[in-house]
Amino acid sequence: MEGGWAHELHGADVVGRLAPRNPAYALPALRRHLLQLLDELEHSAESHIRTESARLIATLTRAVPRLVAPYIAPVLRALIAKLRTHDAGAK
């Protein structure tokens, strides 16, 4: 599935760059995708899915910062929780 994630990264970047030209069309879809990624980051049992979700969230953050700004607190909470879980498992 590695190729699928690469395509998804590229697609998120392209749609994010096009969002300012047609925000009524692009932003709702990107928002749904962001919420899905956040859910995967918080609840996925597979580490590679969490990693790719974090990468896609980073891509969306770079491409459309105004979309992600209202969701920064939940994104950071999810990332910090995963880092603490990972850190606790390493001890």
Side-chain angles (χ1 to χ4, degrees):
M1 178 87 177
E2 189 66 36
W5 288 108
H7 292 301
E8 197 168 344
L9 274 170
H10 183 66
D13 184 47
V14 169
V15 174
R17 286 186 284 135
L18 292 173
R21 300 210 182 266
N22 193 352
Y25 179 75
L27 290 181
L30 288 172
R31 188 174 295 112
R32 279 191 303 274
H33 191 59
L34 175 63
L35 293 173
Q36 177 187 357
L37 292 170
L38 184 57
D39 187 54
E40 289 175 359
L41 182 65
E42 291 177 335
H43 302 293
S44 180
E46 298 180 37
S47 64
H48 73 279
I49 291 176
R50 290 191 310 264
T51 301
E52 294 304 327
S53 295
R55 285 184 183 149
L56 283 162
I57 289 171
T59 299
L60 285 175
T61 302
R62 282 189 301 272
V64 195
R66 75 178 192 160
L67 169 74
V68 180
Y71 300 98
I72 287 297
V75 168
L76 289 176
R77 273 195 302 270
L79 289 171
I80 290 170
K82 292 305 171 188
L83 287 172
R84 285 186 179 148
T85 302
H86 177 71
D87 193 35
K91 290 182 181 180

